[in-house]
Amino acid sequence: MLFWIMVAALIFVLFQVKSLRQQWVTGPAFKLFKKVLPPLSQTEREAMEAGSVWVEGDLFSGKPDWERLYSMSLPQLTDEEKSFLDNEVNELMGMIDDFDVIHKDKDFSEDAWRYMREKGFFAMIIPKEYGGKAFSALANSTIVSKIASRSVSAGVTVMVPNSLGPGELLSHYGTQQQKDYWLPRLADGTDIPCFALTGPEAGSDAGGIPDTGVITMGEYDGKETLGIRLNWDKRYITLAPVATVLGLAFKLDDPDKLLGEKESIGITCALIPTSHPGVEVGNRHLPLEQAFMNGTTRGKDVFIPIDWIIGGADYAGKGWRMLMECLSAGRGISLPALSTGNAQLSAQTTAIYASIRQQFGCSLYEFEGVQEGLAQLAANAYQAEAVRHLTAGAIDLGQKPAVVTAIAKYHMTEAARQSINIAMDISGGKGIQMGPNNYLASLYMAMPVSITVEGANILTRNLMIFGQGATRCHPYVFDEMVAAAEPDFKTGLAQFEPLLFKHIKFALGNAFAALGHGLTGARFASAPKDDANKRHTQQIQRMSKALAICSDIAMLMLGGELKRREMLSARLGDVLSELYLSSAVLKHFYSRGANPKEQHIVDYLIQKSLYNCEVALKGYCRHIANPVIGALIKRLIFPWGSAYNPPKDTLKTKLALNLCQDKSLRDAITPMCYVGKNEDDAVAVLNQAMDAIDALAPLAAKVKAAQQAKTLPRKGSIFQLRDKALAEQVITQAEAEQIAAADELRKQVINVDEFDFDLGLAQGKEDDVKVSDAA
């Protein structure tokens, strides 16, 4: 007994006496931490410090704050924003024939360009005092979503000036003189901007920009001026071929120390008129046959005044942080918006087509294989809207959540890719025959654009989500890294000590909670609502605790090596992503009034997310460096074995039938799907055909009764039996005409476009155009 008292006393003294504690405990721990941690470069630190941490911090730390999430009041569209959406956006969509834009003209009409410039489509984020719209992030996202459901090319053209670009950079960082001159010109369409970041040698690695600027004296406007001698070679720059003002990112050096004591200043952003001597623009790319302007810009020995730096000379070298903050916001608005338009158009049109199109005497949606795809389409459309709303809302609330926007970008573009693939599969030949009657082909062809830009998806998943999440969302790791980067050991140790003990307490708490949730199935976890989603929130909390402890173990075991174990860290990123997606779905459900019709969609999405979390965590346990440690972690978080299953087939069938049979629900979950009013608008015709066929329900009942009474043949659809039903007086002449009108719309839907041998759209008599089988 005395021995254990002495041991306890020794431990107490060891931890209470600072010199002993630092010599035997925290000092060695700090040395080990500095050894395993990779050096923290200035650009890495700036990237990590850029933006803010929001609800993802709670999810990563094992503490989902449901009260905070559910009570959060997200901004709504203003009357002005709604009016713009209902009027200007719809007017623009009516001016754009996407097939002609892509396949004939490779450009928008002069009227469409003029309308976009004059009506402020390029000025949605510019403050009102400069003539802009000052629309919210939600409005920006909603407008781009609606446009993208009609034309990806138009969506990209509108989104780029309103995301990363001169307008945003000037609004946040520009000098007053720069704002006063440029913002009104951008707002009224006098100038069209582009921003040149990507080059042949620097794509996703924007920090590796090879383009250079050197501080020097030169001549401008006939005077000797302090300025920058620039050399650049950029590509993939959207709007470059038509831009009148160029935002440029480059590495700035000051070998003669004309600005200060630093020779290597760092990444800098400048604004240059494209008419400036030496600026080359105009060579055009053709990204997957889309018509949005995209091309190159180059410059050799181009001299610009120093005050053309965005923000002036004081912002020289601050471009990396500026870009990180603006990219994080833009990534959360533009690409999720494009993806939402894609996912919702895919869901709405495919559900209607699967209802109209028949095979073997049945509508396509009656086949179970098709139902599985339709269920996923409904889920993707709902989730895209949920994530779009929550992420854009965060930005409107003043957040700049770099991790959340990376999650939104990656998962929404992947969901959209999945949706358009399913839509093409169900549509069969209808989907692959190009022409004005094909509402899917352009979306299908353009999908890789969203996958590639603003951080390619492989990079986003494998490096960014967890790479940033582990440092930004963890309550202690980033501060520990800053302490480790401190040149003075004693100063760094003083910063590190309190963090270390807090970190240990945090990790142990999560480990015990993860085991407790695993043993009890999380039945005693707190839940904000005692309703159908109670178990969902409890299970999300369980997976949040599991993520927290697995992340700490990974960082402890691998240190800086975790950065290179991309497949392992990606699995942890997948868990964080699924937790955010699930939270967005629940928030969306309750924000919309908890419509019972939507509960099946919520169940499907949460069940699938939890199953994905389990798959990712088991993969993490299987591939972590030490298999024994991996087995122990797996037993800790899944003590009884597998905990989750993917959605059942019966649930998939419910989703599919609801999507196809319930028009009000279908419209409610696809609000961004643009439906034109012109008779040659394929989506409009699709909806008109569905409405006309739905209106035949009473007549179909008459025909069915006559078939049962053997007045009419037992085989055959209402369309095939129309004439005989009229002859047998089962239906009236007016009803026969109603059936014929619906049949014409039905045929128009299942027809595909035909072209003459010169690839001009076939014109002529009705009997010259065959009804093509779209099966």
Side-chain angles (χ1 to χ4, degrees):
M1 181 68 178
L2 180 62
F3 172 77
W4 292 112
I5 293 174
M6 293 177 63
V7 170
L10 182 62
I11 294 174
F12 178 80
V13 170
L14 183 64
F15 277 88
Q16 289 299 312
V17 179
K18 182 178 180 180
S19 59
L20 292 176
R21 182 179 70 240
Q22 291 186 344
Q23 181 178 357
W24 296 103
V25 181
T26 57
F30 187 48
K31 289 177 182 177
L32 177 64
F33 194 81
K34 288 173 69 74
K35 182 178 179 180
V36 301
L37 200 70
L40 185 63
S41 69
Q42 183 62 29
T43 55
E44 286 177 316
R45 181 167 180 171
E46 287 179 357
M48 291 177 184
E49 289 177 336
S52 57
V53 177
W54 191 48
V55 297
E56 74 277 21
D58 301 332
L59 296 169
F60 189 91
S61 300
K63 300 176 182 177
D65 191 339
W66 298 110
E67 295 295 338
R68 174 191 182 191
L69 181 67
Y70 289 163
S71 63
M72 187 184 302
S73 180
L74 296 177
Q76 301 298 314
L77 296 179
T78 65
D79 290 342
E80 181 186 1
E81 291 166 345
K82 290 177 183 176
S83 175
F84 190 85
L85 191 67
D86 293 338
N87 294 288
E88 282 85 350
V89 171
N90 283 340
E91 181 71 21
L92 176 63
M93 295 298 89
M95 299 171 68
I96 294 176
D97 183 322
D98 198 50
F99 182 78
D100 284 350
V101 166
I102 292 175
H103 296 282
K104 293 182 180 180
D105 305 323
K106 295 297 181 188
D107 196 1
F108 305 110
S109 67
E110 290 184 11
D111 288 343
W113 273 111
R114 186 182 307 109
Y115 192 82
M116 286 188 281
R117 295 169 75 158
E118 292 178 354
K119 296 298 181 179
F121 279 86
F122 301 151
M124 292 191 291
I125 63 171
I126 294 176
K128 290 196 175 207
E129 58 264 35
Y130 299 103
K133 299 289 185 185
F135 281 173
S136 63
L138 178 61
N140 189 349
S141 169
T142 304
I143 289 165
V144 171
S145 291
K146 192 73 173 284
I147 294 173
S149 74
R150 168 71 165 179
S151 168
V152 173
S153 291
V156 172
T157 299
V158 169
M159 86 180 192
V160 167
N162 294 295
S163 55
L164 176 64
E168 184 172 17
L169 291 170
L170 284 169
S171 297
H172 289 294
Y173 311 107
T175 66
Q176 194 58 52
Q177 184 179 11
Q178 289 171 342
K179 292 179 181 179
D180 290 341
Y181 179 78
W182 285 111
L183 289 180
R185 297 173 63 87
L186 293 172
D188 66 15
T190 300
D191 282 304
I192 294 181
C194 70
F195 191 84
L197 178 61
T198 304
E201 303 295 336
S204 296
D205 179 18
I209 293 172
D211 311 283
T212 61
V214 177
I215 302 289
T216 185
M217 298 299 294
E219 184 177 329
Y220 176 71
D221 227 6
K223 298 178 183 178
E224 187 76 2
T225 304
L226 179 65
I228 305 170
R229 184 73 62 185
L230 288 166
N231 288 277
W232 74 89
D233 181 6
K234 305 284 192 179
R235 63 180 179 182
Y236 308 154
I237 311 305
T238 299
L239 293 185
V242 295
T244 60
V245 59
L246 167 71
L248 184 69
F250 55 92
K251 284 184 177 176
L252 183 62
D253 291 310
D254 186 11
D256 298 326
K257 299 183 178 180
L258 298 176
L259 273 187
E261 293 303 312
K262 291 176 64 176
E263 293 187 18
S264 179
I265 294 178
I267 295 174
T268 302
C269 298
L271 205 58
I272 309 168
T274 56
S275 59
H276 187 65
V279 177
E280 298 178 25
V281 294
N283 293 329
R284 187 176 175 183
H285 299 309
L286 198 57
L288 293 174
E289 292 294 321
Q290 297 303 298
F292 64 87
M293 290 292 172
N294 186 272
T296 62
T297 175
R298 301 178 180 88
K300 186 174 182 180
D301 294 330
V302 177
F303 180 80
I304 64 170
I306 196 73
D307 57 8
W308 285 11
I309 293 175
I310 296 176
D314 291 342
Y315 277 78
K318 297 181 180 179
W320 181 243
R321 188 182 186 96
M322 292 158 61
L323 292 171
M324 288 299 98
E325 291 184 345
C326 290
L327 268 172
S328 68
R331 189 183 291 121
I333 297 172
S334 302
L335 294 170
L338 282 182
S339 300
T340 300
N342 183 327
Q344 293 189 12
L345 182 81
S346 297
Q348 183 182 112
T349 57
T350 307
I352 295 175
Y353 183 77
S355 300
I356 294 173
R357 187 76 172 98
Q358 293 195 337
Q359 288 284 272
F360 307 107
C362 300
S363 295
L364 292 182
Y365 76 82
E366 296 180 67
F367 294 91
E368 281 197 354
V370 174
Q371 289 172 357
E372 185 171 27
L374 289 168
Q376 191 62 55
L377 287 176
N380 286 349
Y382 191 86
Q383 187 180 72
E385 189 72 358
V387 173
R388 185 182 73 82
H389 265 268
L390 185 59
T391 308
I395 295 168
D396 281 329
L397 291 173
Q399 299 289 335
K400 292 185 177 179
V403 177
V404 157
T405 55
I407 290 172
K409 188 272 175 181
Y410 171 75
H411 285 277
M412 290 308 93
T413 54
E414 289 296 339
R417 172 153 62 177
Q418 183 186 45
S419 289
I420 193 63
N421 282 338
I422 292 171
M424 292 290 284
D425 194 10
I426 294 174
S427 298
K430 170 77 174 176
I432 65 171
Q433 299 302 333
M434 303 290 287
N437 199 37
N438 190 329
Y439 39 78
L440 295 176
S442 179
L443 289 176
Y444 180 79
M445 292 179 66
M447 193 61 240
V449 174
S450 297
I451 298 295
T452 301
V453 299
E454 293 192 18
N457 274 11
I458 288 178
L459 168 80
T460 304
R461 176 177 178 262
N462 289 275
L463 288 177
M464 294 178 63
I465 293 175
F466 187 79
Q468 286 184 302
T471 50
R472 290 309 316 274
C473 298
H474 196 288
Y476 307 114
V477 165
F478 181 67
D479 291 335
E480 289 170 340
M481 292 177 69
V482 171
E486 173 63 46
D488 182 74
F489 184 85
K490 289 186 177 180
T491 302
L493 180 59
Q495 297 172 0
F496 179 77
E497 260 198 319
L499 296 170
L500 175 64
F501 293 117
K502 290 178 181 178
H503 194 154
I504 292 172
K505 180 181 177 182
F506 169 79
L508 290 174
N510 283 327
F512 283 115
L515 178 60
H517 287 328
L519 291 171
T520 63
R523 284 179 175 80
F524 300 105
S526 60
K529 298 178 184 290
D530 189 11
D531 61 6
N533 292 315
K534 176 180 179 179
R535 293 293 291 147
H536 292 333
T537 55
Q538 290 176 323
Q539 295 300 336
I540 290 170
Q541 186 168 330
R542 175 184 176 181
M543 287 297 95
S544 178
K545 291 291 186 186
L547 171 64
I549 188 61
C550 286
S551 298
D552 268 326
I553 292 172
M555 288 185 281
L556 176 66
M557 290 183 63
L558 297 172
E561 179 65 20
L562 182 59
K563 194 177 191 179
R564 290 174 287 277
R565 293 287 302 278
E566 295 174 22
M567 288 186 279
L568 189 72
S569 64
R571 293 184 178 97
L572 295 175
D574 288 343
V575 178
L576 178 60
S577 296
E578 294 293 350
L579 296 177
Y580 178 71
L581 299 178
S582 296
S583 300
V585 166
L586 289 169
K587 171 66 174 174
H588 191 60
F589 175 73
Y590 289 116
S591 296
R592 290 159 60 91
N595 184 351
K597 289 184 176 182
E598 298 175 6
Q599 185 63 54
H600 292 319
I601 305 177
V602 174
D603 292 341
Y604 179 95
L605 285 165
I606 303 297
Q607 288 173 21
K608 190 167 185 180
S609 279
L610 291 170
Y611 178 73
N612 289 342
C613 285
E614 180 172 327
V615 170
L617 288 172
K618 286 183 175 177
Y620 158 87
C621 294
R622 190 164 56 250
H623 293 285
I624 200 165
N626 188 316
V628 176
I629 297 295
L632 290 174
I633 299 170
K634 182 180 177 182
R635 184 60 61 188
L636 173 71
I637 57 180
F638 299 112
W640 307 115
S642 296
Y644 308 114
N645 292 304
K648 293 182 178 179
D649 291 348
T650 52
L651 181 56
K652 296 174 185 177
T653 295
K654 286 178 183 177
L655 261 65
L657 296 180
N658 289 346
L659 181 66
C660 293
Q661 296 176 346
D662 190 335
K663 184 180 188 303
S664 63
L665 177 65
R666 183 170 63 244
D667 290 344
I669 68 173
T670 59
M672 295 300 100
C673 184
Y674 172 79
V675 179
K677 297 180 180 179
N678 300 331
E679 60 181 15
D680 59 348
D681 182 280
V683 179
V685 171
L686 191 69
N687 278 271
Q688 291 164 14
M690 191 74 259
D691 291 342
I693 292 171
D694 284 343
L696 297 180
L699 306 186
K702 286 184 181 183
V703 170
K704 184 174 182 180
Q707 288 176 308
Q708 290 174 344
K710 299 183 179 180
T711 305
L712 295 176
R714 296 187 65 84
K715 290 187 177 181
S717 69
I718 189 174
F719 305 110
Q720 294 167 328
L721 298 175
R722 181 192 68 219
D723 292 339
K724 192 161 186 62
L726 179 59
E728 295 292 338
Q729 298 184 341
V730 174
I731 59 174
T732 66
Q733 180 63 41
E735 290 171 337
E737 291 173 359
Q738 182 184 352
I739 294 171
D743 196 26
E744 285 302 312
L745 288 169
R746 182 187 69 87
K747 289 178 179 178
Q748 195 171 343
V749 165
I750 66 173
N751 284 357
V752 296
D753 297 290
E754 298 183 9
F755 298 84
D756 60 27
F757 288 105
D758 295 326
L759 289 182
L761 190 62
Q763 301 289 335
K765 297 179 182 179
E766 185 175 343
D767 59 3
D768 288 334
V769 181
K770 295 178 289 185
V771 177
S772 298
D773 186 353

